[in-house]
Structures are given as C-alpha cells and as structure tokens.
C-alpha cells in the first residue's frame, strides 16, 4: 500500500502558499482541523480563499486566521458568532461569498465525483441566483452551481491509517468527507493514527485514495460553541 | 396571545405519526418538547444526524455531537450519522416530511425572508435556502409583528428572500394561518383571547376570513 504519513501539521501544510484556495472541514467548531489551522497561523500565509461552512469564533478555528488577516475571501453558508469577521466584512477588508449549505456540500461533492456542476433549487428567486444559469426540469427551476476548485482540502478525522483511510465520529463528519474527496491535495489530521489493517475496511468512511498526507494531531481542544445540557 | 412555548405547542399538533422533521433554530427547537406521546417522530439535524435526542446530561456532553444550532445534543436508539452532502441529499429528495423554521417576514404568496438585514445583520442562510426550496411541507413559527409593532405578514417581503412560494402554514402569537395557492393569508384559528379584529390590524398582507374563526384548542 502507499504510505501517506507525514511527521507534523507544519510538514503537511508546508507547500500552502499565499493566494491558495483551501477547503477546511468542520461545522461550527465541530470536526475542525485544529492542528493545521494552528500551523497555518504560525506559517502566516496570506491572501487565502477559504471554503468552509463557518468562519470559527473570534479566538478559535478559522477565526484565528481572520485575526491574523490571512484570509482574503471566505466562501461559507453561515458566519455568525464571529465579531472580527463581521468587522472585516463591513469594512471591506474581507470578501465573503455566502452560499446555501447544501450548495456548499454539493459543490464539494461534484468536485469529488468528477462532475463539473450540479443543479439545485436552493436560492431560486433570491440574490443567490443572480448571474447564474437557471434550468427547468419537470416544472421546477434549478440553479447551475459549479464544482469547487481547491488546491488543498484540510480535514479532521477520528481515526485514520497510514494509507489515508479515515473514520469519523458522530456529527464531526459533516463536510470532512466531501472536502476530502474534493481537494487536489488532501491533508488529513486524525486523533488516532494506526497501521494498515488496524481499521475494519467495512467501517471506512473515506478511502485512502482521496488522502495525500496524514498525521496524528496533538492536544485537541474540541471547544464547544454552545454547551447545552438537561438536568 | 401565545408565548414562544405556546407557539411551539400549537405547531407540535401539526406533526403526524412517522414524520421525519427538521427543526430550525429558535422557537422551532422548542417544538420537540411538545410531541404527543402517541406520535412517533424522527428529528433530522442538517449537520448530519437523524434521530436527534434531548440535550445531554453534564456527564454525557460530547463535543463531536452537536445539532445545526451548534448545541450539544444526544442521539436516540436507532439514530444515524452521515455527511453534509447526504444530509442535503435527503432534504432535496424530499425524504423530510416537514420543515419548521423561523422568519423575519412572510409574503401573502408564501415567500420567506429570514437570513439577512442589509447593512445590519449578515450571518448567512445556512441550510435555510435548501430546506425551503425542497421541503414537502413548511410551517413558519414567527411573531406576527416586529418590535416596532409593524406587521411581518406582508403583501411582498422587503428583506432579501430565502425562498419563494414555499410557506404553507404560519403559527404566530396571534393566529394560525395558511397561505392559499393563489395568494393570501387564510385565517384558520385565533390564539386564546385574541380577536379577529386584533389579527386584522396585525396583518398587512391580504387576510382571508371565512365564517366563524375558532380559538386554538390545547389538550
């Protein structure tokens, strides 16, 4: 098999350069690649276009890259919970493309499946549809939305092996699987990295062919955005 | 007049046996607390979960298990998890029977606006545009008037739209209304103690009143 293991987050992201387009998995702060984000902040690459469902919070997740003014453009579906984001958006420092969450997922999926575009009814009749081709199928209108093109996809999994096979836990899967498939170069950080054969092939969510570099992350904080409990 | 929990309680009556339901953030989340015992229902959370359970006890909090509102939650026996593409696949292929969500404005044609206030609030649409574009049935939980006392049930929406001609039913603190295919808010029920006159004053869009309007009934 093909060994994808790299030593660290720094090595995994070493060739990400200014101006690159990168996808980052996660929903809110759940299932985000904490180690790679920290390494990107340390490296200080700038003018990045980030495709990610959310933009983190002020002091965690992609919010750290925003504080460091590394992001030129965000493509997301929901960017609440982040004051620095809102400030940069309103001041014009940051370019933001807000798109429906399903469209975000499908544009990743299309890239991963080798399809140039998809049709979706999400956004028909709204400002999301402006300038886009509309086609009618069986009496209903659909928007043509193109597959994403990203130099890098950075995802976070629960377990992985050195061949790049990945298993995700609970709702930390979210965009990680489709982004892993969509990246030209896919980097996976995992909580537990094992040898080939240690994972049950029946349980693999992302086959190793989609993953180019893998490493075991350190000190996951897994910050909770809205802890809500019952008595 | 109903409080937020009252709106949720009235909407819960709309849920039929064996429904798969997506609940939006805010009042819709409260609907889960009012499902009658004899009804089987499965809640979807669009970040990738079917079979969402109640909030966890402190000891069971898991940062890898949240709902679409980013709150920690639990899974009921029989739950399943999946990725975002599959989640929106089941939404767009209409496997979800009912979507319940909030709104800033609804028009008499069933258009909905709930994601943006130009110059003031830009948080994004999240999954709302997908849900309203494809749901088989949409119920909107909202306040009938805004803080300034202005109607949120309008001839046309002023705010940027989330979806067009999609809302079928609205439950507010004052009334239950359906939206007719040819346009117009048809008054179905009044909240306890609320007069038809009050509802008329609070509704700027075309209001259709036929015959005697019953008061909402709660068990």
């Amino acid at each position: 098999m093909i060994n994808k293991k790299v030593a660290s987050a720094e090595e995994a992201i070493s060739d990400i350069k200014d101006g690159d387009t990168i996808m980052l998995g996660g929903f809110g702060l759940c299932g985000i690649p904490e180690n790679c984000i920290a390494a990107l902040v340390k490296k200080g690459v700038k003018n990045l276009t980030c495709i990610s469902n959310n933009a983190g919070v002020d002091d965690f997740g992609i919010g750290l890259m925003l504080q460091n003014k590394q992001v030129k453009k965000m493509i997301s579906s929901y960017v609440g919970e982040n004051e620095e984001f809102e400030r940069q958006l309103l001041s014009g420092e940051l370019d933001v493309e807000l798109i429906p969450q399903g469209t975000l997922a499908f544009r990743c999926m299309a890239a991963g499946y080798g399809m140039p575009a998809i049709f979706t009814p999400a956004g028909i009749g709204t400002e999301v549809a402006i300038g886009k081709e509309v086609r009618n199928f069986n009496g209903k209108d659909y928007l043509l939305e193109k597959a994403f093109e990203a130099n890098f996809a950075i995802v976070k999994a629960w377990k992985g092996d050195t061949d790049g096979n990945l298993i995700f836990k609970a709702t930390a899967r979210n965009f990680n699987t489709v982004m892993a498939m969509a990246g030209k170069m896919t980097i996976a950080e995992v909580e537990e990295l094992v040898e080939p054969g240690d994972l049950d092939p029946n349980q693999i969510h992302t086959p190793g062919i989609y993953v180019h570099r893998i490493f075991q992350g350190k000190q996951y904080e897994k910050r909770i955005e809205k802890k809500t409990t019952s008595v | 007049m109903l409080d937020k929990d009252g709106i949720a309680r009235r909407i819960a009556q709309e849920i039929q046996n064996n429904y798969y339901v997506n609940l939006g953030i805010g009042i819709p989340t409260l609907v889960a607390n009012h499902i009658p015992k004899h009804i089987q229902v499965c809640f979807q959370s669009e970040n990738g979960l079917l079979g969402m359970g109640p909030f966890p006890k402190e000891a069971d909090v898991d940062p890898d298990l949240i709902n679409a509102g980013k709150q920690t939650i639990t899974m009921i026996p029989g739950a399943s998890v999946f990725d975002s593409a599959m989640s929106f696949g089941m939404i767009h292929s209409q496997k979800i029977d009912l979507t319940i969500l909030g709104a800033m404005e609804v028009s008499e044609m069933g258009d909905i606006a709930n994601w943006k206030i130009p110059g003031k609030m830009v948080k994004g649409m999240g999954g709302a545009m997908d849900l309203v574009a494809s749901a088989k049935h949409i119920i909107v939980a909202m306040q009938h008037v805004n803080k300034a006392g202005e109607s949120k049930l309008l001839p046309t929406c002023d705010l940027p739209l989330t979806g067009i001609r999609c809302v079928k039913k609205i439950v507010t603190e004052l009334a239950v209304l359906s939206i007719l295919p040819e346009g117009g808010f048809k008054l179905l029920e009044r909240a306890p103690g609320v007069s038809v006159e009050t509802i008329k004053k609070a509704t700027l869009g075309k209001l259709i009143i036929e015959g005697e309007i019953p008061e909402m009934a709660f068990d």
Side-chain angles (χ1 to χ4, degrees), chain A residues 54 77-79 99-102 106 122 126-127 140 169-175 177 222 226-230, chain B residues 55-56 58 61-62 64-66 69-72 81 83-85 88 92 116 123-126 130 133-134 161-162:
Chain A
N54 314 91
S77 86
Y78 189 83
V79 294
I99 64 175
Q101 197 172 129
F106 293 160
T126 76
E127 63 183 52
K140 185 168 172 169
K169 190 183 149 206
T171 55
R173 193 181 323 180
N174 54 64
F175 286 88
T177 45
K222 292 199 186 178
K226 292 180 187 168
K227 186 166 143 183
T228 316
T229 56
S230 64
Chain B
F55 298 129
E58 181 71 35
V61 167
D62 180 352
D64 290 325
L65 185 56
I66 63 168
K70 287 136 191 164
Q71 295 168 307
T72 47
V81 289
D83 66 44
S84 299
F88 284 92
H92 285 296
K116 185 179 186 182
K123 288 184 187 299
M125 65 291 279
D130 296 276
S134 290
L161 294 174
T162 308

Side-chain angles (χ1 to χ4, degrees), chain A residues 31-120:
Chain A
I32 59 170
E34 294 182 19
N35 279 250
C36 284
I37 290 170
L40 285 166
V41 169
K42 197 171 142 199
K43 187 174 159 80
V45 277
K46 299 223 179 312
N47 292 320
L48 298 172
T49 294
C50 293
I51 301 168
S52 187
N53 189 57
N54 314 91
V57 293
D58 278 324
D59 59 347
F60 201 58
I62 294 174
L64 296 169
M65 293 163 67
L66 290 165
Q67 297 280 3
N68 213 18
K69 306 218 167 35
Q70 294 176 270
V71 183
K72 178 185 67 180
K73 181 177 183 183
M74 275 303 309
I75 302 175
S76 302
S77 86
Y78 189 83
V79 294
E81 358 288 357
N82 191 325
E83 281 176 31
E84 174 64 14
F85 184 99
E86 211 158 352
R87 191 197 64 75
Q88 290 186 19
L89 175 61
L90 294 172
S91 71
E93 290 167 58
L94 182 68
D95 185 12
V96 178
E97 187 181 341
L98 290 168
I99 64 175
Q101 197 172 129
T103 302
L104 183 67
F106 293 160
R107 289 176 69 187
C108 292
M109 188 192 75
Y113 280 89
M115 303 184 294
I118 57 109
F119 285 103
T120 177

Side-chain angles (χ1 to χ4, degrees), chain B residues 108 153-155 177 182-186 203-208:
Chain B
E108 63 188 36
L153 278 60
L154 306 168
L177 311 103
E182 66 273 23
F185 299 102
K186 184 170 185 203
T203 310
L204 199 60
K206 184 178 171 191
L207 184 67
I208 295 151

